[in-house]
Amino acid sequence: MKKFFICLIIMSFALPSHAFFWNKKDKALEKELQGKGYAGTLPNLGDKIEKTKTKVTTPIFESQDGFNNPSDLKPVPKDNPAFINIIQKKDKTSEFTNDAAEIIPMLEKLVDCIDDNENLQLFITKANLLTLNIDNLTEKYNGKPESYYESFRKLQEVNRYVKSIAALRREAVTYQRYLAYSSSGSIYNPDNINQQLQYLLEELNSAILLLRSDG
């Protein structure tokens, strides 16, 4: 208990001196900072900032009612030859290719006829149908740019072969018995006719491949 009172007495003497020390230190710091920094009031910058205004853009052209209205559009003159031939630039090559493609089945039928060794009557019938269509194609495109196509010229060669061999086989039936023992009759010999048919077969297959590659 005695020690407690002694501590209180010591603290009562120490506190005033300590407070005096800090008070003296604050005054020295205030004196040192005097005249430094900004001591006034800050201006109100909000009045000087111009508020952003929304601008409305107007078109440089006037609007038009019914613009691109489907009912106001003129129909394409599909039935007008000038439109078909000039505007669309009709493809002549494509037309020739289509015409030539129609001959391919006729070539194939004649090939089958030779491979199957069908009778003369069937051969003549299929040969005549083929040559008739090639003649029509020739008449249609002769003298035109298509006449210089390789496929066009190939069909001309085939046409000549078919006509020659068809005529040879018809004549053989008539003259073979009379010319069998003469030099002129050798062309109607069955071996010679079969050899000519093989040549024709090669030409037919070659033409088919060429026409298919062009198509």
Side-chain angles (χ1 to χ4, degrees):
M1 188 68 177
K2 187 176 181 179
K3 291 181 179 181
F4 177 73
F5 284 110
I6 294 173
C7 289
L8 288 176
I9 294 171
I10 294 172
M11 290 178 62
S12 63
F13 285 104
L15 286 174
S17 60
H18 186 71
F20 174 78
F21 171 77
W22 283 109
N23 188 26
K24 185 177 181 180
K25 187 174 181 180
D26 290 341
K27 289 182 178 181
L29 181 61
E30 182 179 354
K31 184 178 181 180
E32 182 180 353
L33 296 176
Q34 189 174 3
K36 296 182 179 180
Y38 181 78
T41 58
L42 294 175
N44 186 6
L45 299 179
D47 297 336
K48 296 183 179 181
I49 299 176
E50 184 179 357
K51 295 183 179 180
T52 303
K53 296 181 180 180
T54 303
K55 296 183 179 180
V56 179
T57 303
T58 57
I60 60 176
F61 54 87
E62 296 181 359
S63 61
Q64 182 178 356
D65 295 336
F67 182 71
N68 281 344
N69 190 340
S71 61
D72 295 335
L73 298 178
K74 295 182 179 180
V76 176
K78 295 182 179 180
D79 297 331
N80 188 341
F83 175 79
I84 298 297
N85 296 330
I86 298 176
I87 304 301
Q88 289 188 341
K89 295 182 180 179
K90 195 173 182 180
D91 189 356
K92 299 295 184 181
T93 302
S94 177
E95 183 178 357
F96 170 80
T97 302
N98 292 334
D99 290 341
E102 294 179 358
I103 298 179
I104 294 178
M106 303 174 197
L107 294 168
E108 293 174 335
K109 288 181 179 180
L110 192 57
V111 167
D112 293 338
C113 180
I114 297 173
D115 286 337
D116 297 339
N117 196 24
E118 294 179 351
N119 60 53
L120 177 61
Q121 185 177 359
L122 288 175
F123 176 84
I124 297 299
T125 300
K126 294 178 180 180
N128 287 341
L129 179 62
L130 175 61
T131 57
L132 176 62
N133 280 270
I134 295 179
D135 286 341
N136 291 335
L137 184 81
T138 303
E139 183 179 357
K140 183 176 181 179
Y141 294 102
N142 194 29
K144 297 180 180 180
E146 290 82 1
S147 63
Y148 296 97
Y149 293 169
E150 183 180 359
S151 54
F152 181 88
R153 295 183 176 182
K154 186 65 176 180
L155 287 175
Q156 307 310 304
E157 295 177 2
V158 169
N159 201 23
R160 288 192 294 268
Y161 273 118
V162 173
K163 288 180 178 180
S164 297
I165 296 179
L168 178 65
R169 295 192 68 180
R170 282 195 300 265
E171 293 172 359
V173 174
T174 304
Y175 301 114
Q176 186 176 9
R177 68 178 67 181
Y178 302 107
L179 302 175
Y181 301 101
S182 65
S183 58
S184 300
S186 60
I187 61 173
Y188 302 114
N189 186 286
D191 292 337
N192 180 60
I193 292 177
N194 289 334
Q195 186 177 13
Q196 296 301 321
L197 287 173
Q198 292 303 313
Y199 291 151
L200 175 60
L201 191 61
E202 293 177 2
E203 290 297 323
L204 292 172
N205 286 322
S206 176
I208 292 171
L209 291 175
L210 181 59
L211 293 178
R212 289 195 180 281
S213 64
D214 289 346

